[in-house]
Amino acid sequence: MNILLLGGGGREHAIARSLAKSKRLNHLYIAPGNAGSSDYGTNVSLDILNFDLIKSWSLDQKIDMIIVGPEAPLVEGIYDAIKGDDKTNHISVIGPSADGAMLEGSKAFAKKFMSEFDIPTAAYLEVTNDNLVEGINYLKSNVGPYVLKADGLAAGKGVLIIEDTQEAIHSLKEMLAGQFGEASATVVIEQFLDGIEFSVFALTDGKDYVVLPVAKDYKRIGEGDTGLNTGGMGAVSPPPFVTKELMQKVEDRIVKPTIDGINARGFDYVGFVFIGLIRVGGEPFVIEYNCRMGDPETEVVFPRIQSDVIDLMEAASRGTLLDSKIEINPLTAAAVMLVSGGYPEAYQKGKKITNVPTTSNSIIFHAGTKVEEEHLVTSGGRVIAITSFGEDHKAALVSAKSIAEEIQFEGKYYRKDIGFDL
Ligand code: AMP
Ligand code: GLY
């Protein structure tokens, strides 16, 4: 198979590595890719939101399958663009149609979906300028902390958690007035859930599914989960608190009803469903849906998948996942993310990266890297993820952190406490 993988982060490097293990792969292209993904295929500079260009390029290169890493092309309708054209509809697309991607693209849409299919989630109210008074009364009649979510995509920044009622009312007005642009013209106010978060991933063909390894990511920049939110500073798979019993509840009450809901709504959904969950008093609740894999979760989830991932994705695109089994490495994988000094606020790029080990039992996943005048340099906030295996997360993290110490670039920072709460 000739495959085009869209995206250029650690997630895509990790997917590329798994694809390259398959005997089914002929040629892999990654757009735009990074300095690590080029070990497994050819990086190409295509605008991943220019669907006409992607279609004509894919025809020229005889692409059989397009795997979409990030959410933006999905929400913008890349699936529909490829499948709606006689010339390209033979190409498999891993990633849902635009209507399925609304599960990530609109929080209000996702809440209505969960309510329709009885999927456990926090109580909520949808607010626009038209029912602002109702929104204010909702805040006044509940106690903090309040969770305010911009409805649309806001690069992971659109969720505010506020203790004080007056402050929450003020923020609600600010959001509706355009704090996050169009994305916050609608706001979802949610009941605050107190518990520990984890992420469950399924690959679906729109009616059946396989569950991928479960993971937990660490979003805050500071140790002890403090400071600003980032794309993700590390991950562990599996987190030990996700017992078989909890996972069974997740599958029965959440994964299966979600896929049944997708089927009932008639969405063309071939791809990944990423369910952000929280455990409250032993019971799982949905925090959010994403229509793609997570980053850095993919850097611990994909290395644990021992089955041929191209076989799995092909089964998804043919609608035959019911017959698929997935084999998972029982060891624990843990990832530590090296980031640029200053991230997630302003940071510098172009710093020379040295001491990257060429042989080790760990896996080095590039995120924001590129090659400039034959030197590996930083090109983003999140620079490199180091994934190691162990009997448990502690053992895995000893290896990952020793390599995190070794690799050097000016301003390097990483969290030394990944897994501290497990
Ligand atoms: P989201 O973009 O919906 O995943 O929200 C971002 C983060 O906000 C989540 O990872 C949680 O840490 C937090 N969060 C979202 N919804 C809630 C909730 N209902 N209760 C408590 N925390 C929440
Ligand atoms: N790590 C969280 C995400 O990919 O959205």
Side-chain angles (χ1 to χ4, degrees):
M1 272 210 196
N2 292 326
I3 297 184
L4 171 62
L5 170 63
L6 303 183
R11 167 180 53 207
E12 287 75 23
H13 188 181
I15 295 173
R17 175 178 175 274
S18 291
L19 294 171
K21 284 183 186 292
S22 170
K23 289 190 292 286
R24 310 279 315 282
L25 185 67
N26 182 39
H27 203 95
L28 174 63
Y29 299 89
I30 312 101
N34 60 37
S37 63
S38 53
D39 287 349
Y40 301 115
T42 308
N43 288 346
V44 287
S45 60
L46 290 175
D47 173 358
I48 65 171
L49 293 175
N50 184 340
F51 303 155
D52 284 338
L53 175 67
I54 289 178
K55 286 198 299 192
S56 60
W57 186 90
S58 296
L59 285 173
D60 288 346
Q61 303 299 326
K62 302 196 162 44
I63 295 297
D64 302 295
M65 178 184 277
I66 299 178
I67 302 168
V68 187
E71 63 278 11
L74 295 167
V75 173
E76 296 290 320
I78 188 167
Y79 179 96
D80 313 80
I82 306 280
K83 292 293 180 184
D85 186 330
D86 289 346
K87 293 197 291 298
T88 52
N89 66 11
H90 63 280
I91 299 174
S92 302
V93 179
I94 302 299
S97 60
D99 52 8
M102 285 280 279
L103 286 176
E104 173 163 4
S106 165
K107 304 262 189 211
F109 178 95
K111 291 301 263 189
K112 277 183 216 135
F113 177 92
M114 286 184 260
S115 150
E116 180 178 341
F117 297 104
D118 287 326
I119 295 165
T121 187
Y124 80 107
L125 179 73
E126 181 180 340
V127 186
T128 66
N129 274 319
D130 296 336
N131 66 336
L132 175 60
V133 174
E134 189 187 356
I136 292 171
N137 288 336
Y138 186 82
L139 292 172
K140 282 185 182 157
S141 62
N142 285 286
V143 290
Y146 304 96
V147 183
L148 303 184
K149 299 187 175 184
D151 176 54
L153 294 183
K157 299 195 171 70
V159 176
L160 304 181
I161 297 179
I162 300 171
E163 291 286 337
D164 179 72
T165 313
Q166 286 311 317
E167 216 180 295
I169 293 172
H170 177 75
S171 281
L172 174 62
K173 290 178 183 164
E174 295 272 291
M175 287 175 86
L176 292 173
Q179 184 179 358
F180 300 99
E182 262 305 296
S184 62
T186 297
V187 172
V188 169
I189 307 177
E190 249 183 47
Q191 167 203 14
F192 179 81
L193 298 177
D194 197 8
I196 188 162
E197 289 177 59
F198 59 110
S199 307
V200 166
F201 303 90
L203 175 66
T204 183
D205 54 18
K207 49 181 208 305
D208 297 300
Y209 61 89
V210 291
V211 178
L212 308 185
V214 54
K216 175 169 191 352
D217 89 324
Y218 290 80
K219 287 204 178 83
R220 304 293 200 91
I221 187 73
E223 302 202 340
D225 281 344
T226 55
L228 294 174
N229 258 325
T230 70
M233 297 295 293
V236 172
S237 173
F241 69 89
V242 184
T243 57
K244 261 204 176 114
E245 190 192 1
L246 177 59
M247 211 45 216
Q248 195 60 50
K249 289 181 185 172
V250 170
E251 200 166 338
D252 296 343
R253 299 178 195 170
I254 294 168
V255 179
K256 192 163 189 312
T258 297
I259 305 302
D260 289 346
I262 285 172
N263 191 20
R265 288 269 187 110
F267 299 152
D268 279 328
Y269 202 122
V270 174
F272 300 102
V273 186
F274 165 171
I275 312 177
L277 296 158
I278 189 162
R279 186 194 65 178
V280 184
E283 310 301 327
F285 292 83
V286 177
I287 291 272
E288 65 164 348
Y289 285 117
N290 295 303
C291 60
R292 51 168 176 89
M293 288 300 297
D295 193 349
E297 291 94 326
T298 305
E299 289 94 306
V300 290
V301 168
F302 265 58
R304 292 188 61 217
I305 301 176
Q306 291 171 321
S307 311
D308 185 310
V309 296
I310 297 184
D311 283 343
L312 286 173
M313 292 189 210
E314 191 181 42
S317 65
R318 288 191 173 157
T320 58
L321 265 186
L322 183 60
D323 307 323
S324 295
K325 286 271 172 310
I326 182 166
E327 262 179 68
I328 294 172
N329 185 333
L331 290 174
T332 293
V336 169
M337 186 69 79
L338 307 183
V339 305
S340 300
Y343 174 81
E345 296 184 281
Y347 58 85
Q348 293 182 338
K349 298 182 188 177
K351 303 295 183 192
K352 226 177 248 182
I353 305 169
T354 56
N355 287 359
V356 180
T358 44
T359 54
S360 98
N361 290 328
S362 300
I363 316 166
I364 310 291
F365 289 122
H366 290 237
T369 67
K370 64 176 183 183
V371 176
E372 213 170 62
E373 291 164 5
E374 293 179 21
H375 286 294
L376 184 64
V377 300
T378 66
S379 68
R382 295 192 292 171
V383 178
I384 284 176
I386 302 143
T387 297
S388 305
F389 281 93
E391 288 297 331
D392 59 20
H393 65 278
K394 287 190 182 137
L397 283 159
V398 169
S399 313
K401 283 192 279 190
S402 82
I403 292 177
E405 274 306 305
E406 230 172 281
I407 297 176
Q408 296 300 333
F409 58 88
E410 193 190 315
K412 175 187 82 175
Y413 168 76
Y414 68 97
R415 271 182 66 170
K416 298 185 175 67
D417 72 335
I418 299 302
F420 78 99
D421 55 347
L422 296 179

